[in-house]
Amino acid sequence: KLDSVRFMHLIKSKSIERFDFPWLPFFNLSLQLPDGQVLPLPPVILGELGKDPQKPTVCFYGHVDVQPAKKEDGWNTDPYTLTEINGNLYGRGATDNKGPVLAWINAVETVRAMPVNFKFVIEGMEEAGSLGLDKLLEKENQSFFSDVDYIVISDNLWLSNKKPALTYGSRGNACFFVEVECGSKDLHSGTFGGIIHEPLLDLIALLDSLVDSTGRIQIPGIYDSVAALTEEERKLYNSIEFDLEEHRNNCGVKKFLYGTKEEILLHLWRYPSLSIHGIEGAFHEPGIKTVIPAKVIGKFSIRQVPHMDLSVVKKQVRDKSFLWPLNSPNKLKVSMPLGVKPWLTDINDLLYKAGRRAIKTVFGEDPDFIRDGSTIPVARMFQTVTQKSVMMLPIGAADDGEHSQNEKISRHNYIEGTKLFAALFLEISKLHRTLHETSHTETIN
Amino acid sequence: KLDSVRFMHLIKSKSIERFDFPWLPFFNLSLQLPDGQVLPLPPVILGELGKDPQKPTVCFYGHVDVQPAKKEDGWNTDPYTLTEINGNLYGRGATDNKGPVLAWINAVETVRAMPVNFKFVIEGMEEAGSLGLDKLLEKENQSFFSDVDYIVISDNLWLSNKKPALTYGSRGNACFFVEVECGSKDLHSGTFGGIIHEPLLDLIALLDSLVDSTGRIQIPGIYDSVAALTEEERKLYNSIEFDLEEHRNNCGVKKFLYGTKEEILLHLWRYPSLSIHGIEGAFHEPGIKTVIPAKVIGKFSIRQVPHMDLSVVKKQVRDKSFLWPLNSPNKLKVSMPLGVKPWLTDINDLLYKAGRRAIKTVFGEDPDFIRDGSTIPVARMFQTVTQKSVMMLPIGAADDGEHSQNEKISRHNYIEGTKLFAALFLEISKLHRTLHETSHTETIN
């Protein structure tokens, strides 16, 4: 848990800001609230430390909401009690994202004379798509963000278990619900099995038509807008240190869909993928229930990449879904409760240079320049709204298991990550000094 | 809830018998207990009232265990508080099977001079396949059941909402679990989506291959042993009063797979069906979780009919399942945690004649002679072990919603059902008198 005393200590001029956007419980998006009730979103915390106009201003972003976790999901320890085992700190949020948030709080506390002005944004809706954050950024763009020079996000993982990385892109996420309904009540499979079109059979036929066994998405047109791979880009992949075996061991599968490093990275970072997450409304408990569920909701998502368009993807999914149920009398409803765009930035940006130097200082090696297969909507959101430099600087290792059972951050990464953030402040201040000196020289000339 | 005072009042010589078979919580069959723990089965209650050797002995069977029910499944009332609304008594077990059990307790209490000796068997494992009951029957066959002449089960429903019925057959039930596993932990769909063989995609492909959109099972050989339909049997279906529209309204679907009464009844009673119930291990809650589940268990069942053989069905399902995962590295496990055979008896049996007369007395009309699409393993079990006449005499209406939300029995059916059981005692005693007189006459001649 965030230490509120230390936390409040950091918060200076602006303390806690509350917003009136409709708040939604974690996994109930607004579209689903049955009674139309409007609830406030949880607060977003804005803070600042230092206002020296001679210094650059760095703004960190983090979130303190987490994915759901229950002991019975297969955790070895209570997911909500941080537990150290063999140098690893286990707990929900350890790496995504409470650990990194604490690491930069530690860094700010540790550095005696901060070489930069420091700001931060902490939200509690990231795992639900950062609802309302875009409105906050727009609202604060001319005030809170007006003097911010650099925005740093540490909300993803390295590609490796050992080698640090800088991230310059992430895939988007378009979540879909496909609802099939035959009536208002579940039916007994003895009394009705064999004479009705079962909604779950319909749904399974539909879900089965989405991806083939090679992982290729079967939705017509879905690959049409995917950015073409240039030769230069392909070369970038060659130099990345990536141990296929290590990655395979991290996730525990026997075999990947592809056999080479390049193919794997390309399919994780710059090609779309479709995953099916589960079905709501069907029998899901241990044991047997001889039921024909009356209403089932299949849930899947597509990780889109540049330059796929969300509204086009939505239309393609609907067109594909509505092709299927021709001979079924059941009701079909397709919706996209969440749609987040991909993000891509330029690794030649000055902020990335500072990040690279800080990593070299702390870890003694250059980082991998990587993308992230998962979705970090805030990177794109900050970049689009504030037009500032945005960098993703992960401190968690590839095997941290974000969103999974037994999520952890290693003590090593947590401490070196703290040092990295302190080093980054210094590198950014140097960057700024260099810029100032240059401009001074120019003025003299 | 069963009134234990009235209940104990009925229990004479044998009170409560306990057994040492491994007991299992409701929906965890023994195969699934992870720690190998052996727990006792819940008690089966045997009781008797009267021991007059001049009278025939009727044994009623009932069960007091129920399907799971939660208010949030879509119940309008608390499922465990019996609630009367517009002449219907709502509650889990109202029709399956606590209501009928109470009805024959009422009948026994109401009839002043019982014209028959009365015995009963009440168990608490019916919904889990009557685990251990077969062993009990075998054990008691030469003692408790030795003087039993007729066994009556009231654990199914009429075919109609209004017209009473006698049941002479039921389908079996072979439940299957298909488990697909890629590793020990769930994965993030951003970090691994697009590069692994997702278990849920594999499972969905497998489940999708089981039944086509016309309801026909696609497992090779599954129809091979189904008893051929004779012309005489087909005629029996013609005379049954069955309102397709009423049945459709009862279950709430827009359209059946078949358009005629005969086709519907044949596919419910004497052809097998396959239903998919759900998936364990996948995301099933409201909202979104961007997870790739590591282990998913698909659950489906096949209602078999005479003369399908359980072990053959199991083999056919396994053969079919193992055809599929050729290009997937994921682990596949197929099991049949529950297998119950179908049941069929002769409607010309004397007990059925008595049942028919009792129905005529109380309801003023002849019953439909029907089968049941669902599985009542006890009918077959009692018949096989005791070799006595077994009759299924339902008192619940077609729209009672057994196993469903808002299960009910109407006050009318509950009261007329009580009368029916009382009338049955009388008809059976008459039957017995007729038999005695006949045999007496024969002796004289």
Side-chain angles (χ1 to χ4, degrees):
Chain A
K1 279 166 197 170
L2 271 174
D3 181 327
S4 58
V5 178
R6 287 165 63 197
F7 201 69
M8 292 311 290
H9 180 69
L10 285 170
I11 296 170
K12 300 289 176 189
S13 63
K14 279 214 150 130
S15 56
I16 294 178
E17 194 137 347
R18 285 187 174 274
F19 298 93
D20 293 329
F21 308 114
W23 179 86
L24 302 152
F26 230 83
F27 287 96
N28 277 319
L29 293 179
S30 58
L31 319 163
Q32 299 183 296
L33 275 186
D35 58 357
Q37 202 185 352
V38 174
L39 297 164
L41 284 162
V44 175
I45 304 170
L46 304 178
E48 67 180 18
L49 185 69
K51 261 188 163 310
D52 185 342
Q54 295 302 105
K55 293 176 183 171
T57 300
V58 182
C59 177
F60 262 73
Y61 160 89
H63 68 89
V64 289
D65 58 311
V66 293
Q67 285 280 320
K70 288 177 196 153
K71 185 87 166 62
E72 59 264 33
D73 292 341
W75 284 72
N76 298 326
T77 59
D78 173 15
Y80 292 105
T81 304
L82 193 71
T83 310
E84 180 166 1
I85 301 170
N86 295 333
N88 287 320
L89 305 160
Y90 291 92
R92 179 53 93 215
T95 199
D96 180 16
N97 180 236
K98 293 182 180 182
V101 166
L102 275 174
W104 62 249
I105 292 177
N106 293 340
V108 172
E109 281 198 321
T110 308
V111 174
R112 291 261 173 133
M114 279 287 276
V116 296
N117 300 316
F118 184 72
K119 288 197 170 189
F120 64 82
V121 178
I122 294 180
E123 69 151 330
M125 290 295 287
E126 197 275 345
E127 300 291 0
S130 296
L131 279 180
L133 187 66
D134 52 345
K135 293 196 177 64
L136 166 67
L137 297 193
E138 278 157 24
K139 184 165 166 264
E140 294 290 336
N141 196 27
Q142 297 307 317
S143 44
F144 182 81
F145 292 103
S146 61
D147 57 358
V148 169
D149 299 292
Y150 306 106
I151 294 168
V152 179
I153 300 168
S154 182
D155 187 23
N156 64 322
L157 302 178
W158 298 346
L159 185 58
S160 136
N161 290 352
K162 299 258 171 75
K163 191 180 172 197
L166 275 171
T167 305
Y168 66 97
S170 67
R171 291 194 292 188
N173 197 14
C175 290
F176 290 93
F177 288 178
V178 179
E179 181 184 308
V180 186
E181 184 180 3
C182 73
S184 59
K185 57 181 180 180
D186 291 350
L187 300 169
H188 189 290
S189 65
T191 317
F192 293 98
I195 63 166
I196 69 163
H197 298 263
E198 300 188 10
L200 187 49
L201 285 175
D202 287 354
L203 177 63
I204 281 170
L206 198 155
L207 294 177
D208 188 32
S209 73
L210 297 174
V211 189
D212 73 11
S213 63
T214 71
R216 193 163 171 89
I217 305 172
Q218 300 296 298
I219 298 167
I222 201 88
Y223 292 99
D224 288 356
S225 316
V226 174
L229 180 70
T230 63
E231 200 43 47
E232 195 191 339
E233 199 184 344
R234 186 183 281 282
K235 275 182 200 149
L236 193 65
Y237 284 79
N238 291 340
S239 66
I240 292 174
E241 253 189 52
F242 178 60
D243 186 337
L244 262 188
E245 272 310 290
E246 183 184 281
H247 197 60
R248 205 183 53 69
N249 285 333
N250 285 345
C251 73
V253 305
K254 266 197 212 149
K255 212 179 114 188
F256 282 134
L257 282 164
Y258 308 96
T260 68
K261 180 184 80 174
E262 284 76 10
E263 279 175 308
I264 291 289
L265 295 181
L266 287 167
H267 280 92
L268 270 183
W269 295 348
R270 65 169 340 283
Y271 293 130
S273 66
L274 189 153
S275 295
I276 300 176
H277 310 300
I279 294 170
E280 182 186 339
F283 179 60
H284 59 79
E285 289 169 52
I288 293 164
K289 188 179 181 186
T290 53
V291 68
I292 299 174
K295 185 166 96 174
V296 286
I297 306 171
K299 296 175 179 188
F300 65 90
S301 63
I302 297 173
R303 300 277 168 178
Q304 347 80 266
V305 294
H307 309 293
M308 291 167 75
D309 185 291
L310 265 179
S311 62
V312 173
V313 170
K314 186 176 174 183
K315 189 178 174 310
Q316 287 165 335
V317 168
R318 289 180 63 93
D319 287 352
K320 167 78 178 173
S321 306
F322 282 95
L323 268 183
W324 152 82
L326 290 179
N327 78 339
S328 170
N330 295 326
K331 268 191 289 184
L332 172 68
K333 222 159 74 183
V334 179
S335 61
M336 188 178 82
L338 184 66
V340 183
K341 293 174 180 173
W343 168 71
L344 195 62
T345 192
D346 181 6
I347 58 171
N348 297 311
D349 188 280
L350 281 177
L351 180 56
Y352 274 80
K353 291 202 167 132
R356 188 174 184 165
R357 286 192 199 116
I359 286 172
K360 184 99 187 190
T361 303
V362 174
F363 292 94
E365 62 182 328
D366 267 328
D368 281 330
F369 282 90
I370 65 172
R371 296 201 201 182
D372 198 303
S374 61
T375 306
I376 309 127
V378 289
R380 188 192 164 94
M381 204 185 285
F382 275 102
Q383 201 166 56
T384 307
V385 177
T386 69
Q387 303 282 316
K388 314 280 178 180
S389 291
V390 176
M391 177 170 70
M392 297 204 54
L393 177 64
I395 65 167
D399 63 353
D400 277 1
E402 46 163 7
H403 290 211
S404 178
Q405 299 94 329
N406 302 312
E407 177 183 346
K408 61 94 178 159
I409 190 166
S410 74
R411 175 178 279 275
H412 176 263
N413 279 45
Y414 179 62
I415 291 173
E416 298 307 301
T418 298
K419 292 182 194 166
L420 175 57
F421 293 148
L424 180 69
F425 297 148
L426 201 63
E427 290 298 337
I428 286 177
S429 76
K430 280 190 202 162
L431 207 65
H432 197 73
R433 252 192 332 262
T434 318
L435 284 171
H436 264 256
E437 280 158 17
T438 312
S439 95
H440 186 64
T441 314
E442 278 166 6
T443 312
I444 288 176
N445 285 349
Chain B
K1 280 166 196 169
L2 270 174
D3 180 329
S4 58
V5 178
R6 285 165 64 197
F7 202 68
M8 292 311 290
H9 180 69
L10 285 171
I11 297 170
K12 301 290 177 188
S13 62
K14 282 212 148 130
S15 56
I16 295 178
E17 193 139 346
R18 286 188 173 274
F19 298 92
D20 293 329
F21 309 114
W23 179 87
L24 303 152
F26 231 83
F27 289 95
N28 278 318
L29 294 178
S30 57
L31 320 163
Q32 300 181 296
L33 275 186
D35 59 356
Q37 202 189 353
V38 174
L39 296 164
L41 283 162
V44 175
I45 305 170
L46 305 178
E48 66 179 19
L49 184 70
K51 260 186 166 309
D52 184 343
Q54 295 302 105
K55 292 177 182 169
T57 300
V58 182
C59 178
F60 261 72
Y61 160 89
H63 68 89
V64 289
D65 57 312
V66 293
Q67 285 280 320
K70 288 177 196 149
K71 184 87 167 63
E72 58 265 33
D73 292 342
W75 284 73
N76 297 327
T77 59
D78 172 16
Y80 293 104
T81 304
L82 193 70
T83 310
E84 180 166 2
I85 302 170
N86 294 334
N88 287 321
L89 304 160
Y90 291 92
R92 179 53 94 216
T95 199
D96 180 15
N97 182 232
K98 293 182 178 181
V101 166
L102 276 175
W104 59 251
I105 292 178
N106 293 340
V108 172
E109 282 197 321
T110 308
V111 175
R112 292 261 172 131
M114 278 287 276
V116 296
N117 299 315
F118 184 72
K119 288 197 168 188
F120 64 83
V121 179
I122 294 179
E123 68 153 329
M125 288 295 286
E126 197 274 345
E127 300 291 0
S130 296
L131 280 179
L133 187 66
D134 52 344
K135 293 195 177 66
L136 166 66
L137 297 192
E138 279 156 23
K139 185 165 165 265
E140 294 291 337
N141 196 25
Q142 298 306 318
S143 44
F144 182 80
F145 291 104
S146 62
D147 57 359
V148 168
D149 299 291
Y150 306 105
I151 294 167
V152 179
I153 299 168
S154 181
D155 188 23
N156 64 322
L157 303 177
W158 297 345
L159 185 59
S160 135
N161 290 352
K162 299 258 170 75
K163 192 181 171 195
L166 275 172
T167 304
Y168 66 96
S170 66
R171 291 195 291 189
N173 197 15
C175 290
F176 289 92
F177 288 177
V178 179
E179 180 183 306
V180 185
E181 185 180 2
C182 73
S184 60
K185 57 181 180 180
D186 291 350
L187 300 169
H188 189 289
S189 64
T191 318
F192 294 97
I195 64 167
I196 69 164
H197 298 263
E198 301 188 9
L200 188 47
L201 285 175
D202 288 355
L203 177 63
I204 281 171
L206 198 154
L207 294 177
D208 188 32
S209 74
L210 296 175
V211 189
D212 72 11
S213 63
T214 71
R216 192 163 171 90
I217 305 172
Q218 299 296 298
I219 298 166
I222 201 87
Y223 292 98
D224 288 356
S225 316
V226 174
L229 180 70
T230 62
E231 200 42 46
E232 195 191 340
E233 199 184 344
R234 186 183 282 280
K235 274 182 200 147
L236 193 64
Y237 283 79
N238 291 340
S239 65
I240 291 173
E241 254 189 53
F242 177 60
D243 187 335
L244 264 189
E245 271 310 290
E246 182 184 279
H247 197 60
R248 206 184 50 71
N249 285 333
N250 285 346
C251 71
V253 305
K254 265 197 214 151
K255 211 178 116 188
F256 283 133
L257 282 164
Y258 307 95
T260 68
K261 180 184 79 174
E262 283 76 10
E263 280 175 306
I264 290 290
L265 295 181
L266 287 167
H267 280 91
L268 270 183
W269 295 348
R270 66 170 338 283
Y271 293 131
S273 67
L274 190 154
S275 295
I276 300 177
H277 310 300
I279 295 170
E280 182 185 339
F283 178 61
H284 59 78
E285 289 169 51
I288 293 165
K289 188 178 180 187
T290 54
V291 68
I292 300 174
K295 185 167 97 173
V296 285
I297 306 171
K299 298 178 178 186
F300 65 91
S301 63
I302 297 172
R303 300 277 167 178
Q304 348 80 265
V305 294
H307 308 292
M308 292 166 76
D309 185 292
L310 265 179
S311 63
V312 173
V313 169
K314 186 176 175 183
K315 190 179 174 308
Q316 287 165 336
V317 168
R318 289 180 62 93
D319 288 352
K320 166 78 178 173
S321 307
F322 282 95
L323 268 184
W324 154 82
L326 290 178
N327 76 341
S328 170
N330 295 327
K331 269 191 289 184
L332 173 68
K333 223 159 73 183
V334 180
S335 61
M336 189 179 81
L338 183 66
V340 183
K341 293 175 181 173
W343 168 70
L344 195 61
T345 193
D346 181 6
I347 58 171
N348 297 312
D349 190 280
L350 282 177
L351 181 56
Y352 275 79
K353 290 202 167 135
R356 187 174 184 165
R357 283 192 202 115
I359 286 172
K360 184 98 188 192
T361 303
V362 174
F363 292 94
E365 61 183 327
D366 268 328
D368 281 329
F369 282 91
I370 65 173
R371 296 201 201 182
D372 198 304
S374 63
T375 307
I376 308 127
V378 288
R380 189 192 164 94
M381 202 186 284
F382 275 103
Q383 199 165 60
T384 308
V385 176
T386 67
Q387 304 281 318
K388 313 279 178 178
S389 292
V390 175
M391 177 172 71
M392 296 203 55
L393 177 65
I395 65 167
D399 62 353
D400 278 1
E402 45 164 6
H403 292 212
S404 178
Q405 300 95 328
N406 301 314
E407 177 182 346
K408 60 94 178 161
I409 190 166
S410 74
R411 175 178 279 274
H412 175 263
N413 279 44
Y414 179 62
I415 291 173
E416 298 307 301
T418 298
K419 292 182 194 167
L420 175 58
F421 294 148
L424 180 69
F425 297 147
L426 200 65
E427 290 299 337
I428 288 177
S429 76
K430 278 188 203 164
L431 208 66
H432 197 72
R433 249 190 339 257
T434 318
L435 285 171
H436 263 256
E437 279 158 17
T438 312
S439 95
H440 186 64
T441 314
E442 278 166 7
T443 312
I444 289 175
N445 286 350

